[in-house]
Amino acid sequence: MTPPLSDLMAEAARCVADVHAGRSLADLLPAVPAPLRPGTQALVFDTLRRAGTARALVGALAERKPPPPVAALLEVALALLLQGTAYAAHTVVDQAVQALPRLRAPALRGFVNACLRRFLRERDALLIRAQATPEGRWNHPEWWVQRLQQDYPDQWTTVLAADDRPGPMVLRVNRRQTSREAYRARLAALGWAADPIGADGLVLADPVPVERLPGWEAGAVSVQDGAAQLAAPLLLGDGLPAGARVLDACAAPGGKTAHLLERADLDLWALDADGARAERIRDTLRRLRLPAAGQVRVLTADAGTPADWWDGRPFDAILLDAPCSASGIVRRHPDVRWLRRPGDIDRLAAEQRRLLAALWPLLAPGGRLLYATCSVFRAEGADVVTDFLARHPQARALPAPGHLLPGGLAADATDTTAGFVSAHAMGDNARRGMDGFFYALLAKG
């Protein structure tokens, strides 16, 4: 039974208001009642992708600022009206009014009704006014827009547009259990089309609930964007000897850890500074029946303080998927753009530099370190690695994608000064439309 739209709008308004107050959807959505969760998530995602315009419209429509849940309800309703396809305009207005008792604001029925009906009457003029600022025009904070303009003067508008399109559902087939073509045939037998991406991936034509995927519980397949699936083959290269020591330094929730173990027999260490997140690595490996060979150690530890956990034996390869702004994956996590603050980028870049400097001495001579972030900002990618190479003459940059922009865009070639190859060299992967990412592969000696 489909829940009433008014109930979904009320739950979505609570979530949107809490995001504007600084809370993450990763914490908010699990608290939504299960029957309302899928519809609420869809409304919240759509609203946050239009929140710059919607918030400006609320400011133009309301002479006095309404309580946060009611302002957020107006944003949800306006996002639906801007979308213009899912529901008739009169239905959206009516259901927004009906949602107010769930928000404990029944006295504001007339106010909400008047605001939305005024928008329908004066839509064009109000939109011109709302989109007069960068935030209202591009649905990203102004500082974010300015940083993209600086980093990608020829591509920033395309990056912003890509952020507002939902990413496809991408699977990674567990090659320990089956081949990609065999799994693709299982999907086809269910009427689900999928195209190959990378070495182990499949892009579904239409998303499906994970529990309906054949072999999901048995670990035959995972959900992982094509950009993230580049990490394991980049680090492993032409192959490491069986039992090679490999460190996944910031491993939770374990997708890249698992991909490494699916592709090679390793002595793998997986770290995360947070105990609950480290447990998610274990959960991921249990579902995928890993390791099938070799061994893995999951530790709760700060990768930047090796004296607390390292046994003194060098690693043959290190993956540093460093904490970052997540600016490359906002099409999948639309709350991120509204949660980040300008100062976060410098703070995160400092942490990335700390981790990189701390882990480099743990790498064996001739070994490789893959530095990765799911960020499109150069301050968290090319700038970090270029500075590191200048300070470490024994480090040598090997070919790697550099900055991948969301939607499969290729960053310009300026990263080649640090030894990166352009994303143009990624061929099929780049054309498929991956998340934004950064990769640099460094060899020691």
Side-chain angles (χ1 to χ4, degrees), residues 40-228:
T40 296
Q41 177 173 312
L43 282 179
V44 170
F45 276 34
D46 188 62
T47 302
L48 293 176
R49 290 181 178 123
R50 295 174 168 84
T53 302
R55 291 170 83 177
L57 286 170
V58 173
L61 290 165
E63 293 183 2
R64 293 183 179 179
K65 189 175 181 179
V70 177
L73 176 65
L74 285 171
E75 287 183 48
V76 173
L78 289 164
L80 283 171
L81 294 172
L82 289 169
Q83 181 180 344
T85 56
Y87 301 95
H90 67 85
T91 300
V92 173
V93 175
D94 174 72
Q95 291 297 292
V97 172
Q98 295 301 320
L100 287 164
R102 287 181 65 97
L103 297 176
R104 299 181 180 179
L108 294 178
R109 285 189 173 112
F111 166 77
V112 168
N113 182 69
C115 286
L116 295 178
R117 292 194 177 279
R118 181 186 167 196
F119 171 74
L120 294 176
R121 291 194 308 270
E122 304 174 24
R123 178 185 180 115
D124 291 345
L126 287 167
L127 278 175
I128 290 172
R129 178 178 170 183
Q131 295 177 346
T133 65
E135 181 171 313
R137 172 66 179 87
W138 298 108
N139 291 303
H140 290 69
E142 184 172 356
W143 69 265
W144 189 299
V145 176
Q146 291 172 347
R147 187 173 282 271
L148 286 178
Q149 288 172 329
Q150 176 182 328
D151 285 353
Y152 306 103
D154 297 326
Q155 297 160 301
W156 64 275
T157 60
T158 314
V159 174
L160 292 169
D163 285 349
D164 288 338
R165 292 190 293 270
M169 186 172 184
V170 185
L171 308 180
R172 188 190 75 240
V173 177
N174 184 351
R175 58 169 63 192
R176 295 270 187 185
Q177 295 195 22
T178 186
S179 70
R180 177 169 61 186
E181 286 310 309
Y183 193 82
R184 189 183 185 190
R186 293 177 71 180
L187 295 176
L190 296 171
W192 298 340
D195 291 328
I197 183 174
D200 299 301
L202 290 169
V203 183
L204 293 179
D206 298 294
V208 299
V210 293
E211 61 271 14
R212 295 184 61 194
L213 291 169
W216 172 261
E217 291 297 336
V221 68
S222 300
V223 176
Q224 187 181 46
D225 187 78

Side-chain angles (χ1 to χ4, degrees), residues 269-355:
W269 293 37
L271 272 61
D272 200 90
D274 182 271
R277 286 174 55 80
E279 189 58 36
R280 292 184 63 191
I281 303 171
R282 296 185 181 93
D283 291 342
T284 297
L285 298 180
R286 278 192 288 266
R287 185 181 67 81
L288 295 170
R289 314 301 200 256
L290 294 170
Q295 61 180 349
V296 61
R297 309 177 205 190
V298 178
L299 303 175
T300 300
D302 176 3
T305 56
D308 295 340
W309 53 267
W310 185 42
D311 64 359
R313 295 174 56 201
F315 291 98
D316 300 298
I318 296 175
L319 170 59
L320 173 54
D321 186 6
C324 72
S325 65
S327 57
I329 58 174
V330 291
R331 63 180 187 164
R332 301 187 187 278
H333 301 278
D335 56 329
V336 165
R337 71 188 83 174
W338 305 116
L339 295 173
R340 290 294 179 208
R341 299 294 180 263
D344 291 344
I345 309 306
D346 290 341
R347 176 182 58 80
L348 288 162
E351 174 68 1
Q352 292 149 12
R353 286 178 163 85
R354 180 184 78 92
L355 291 169

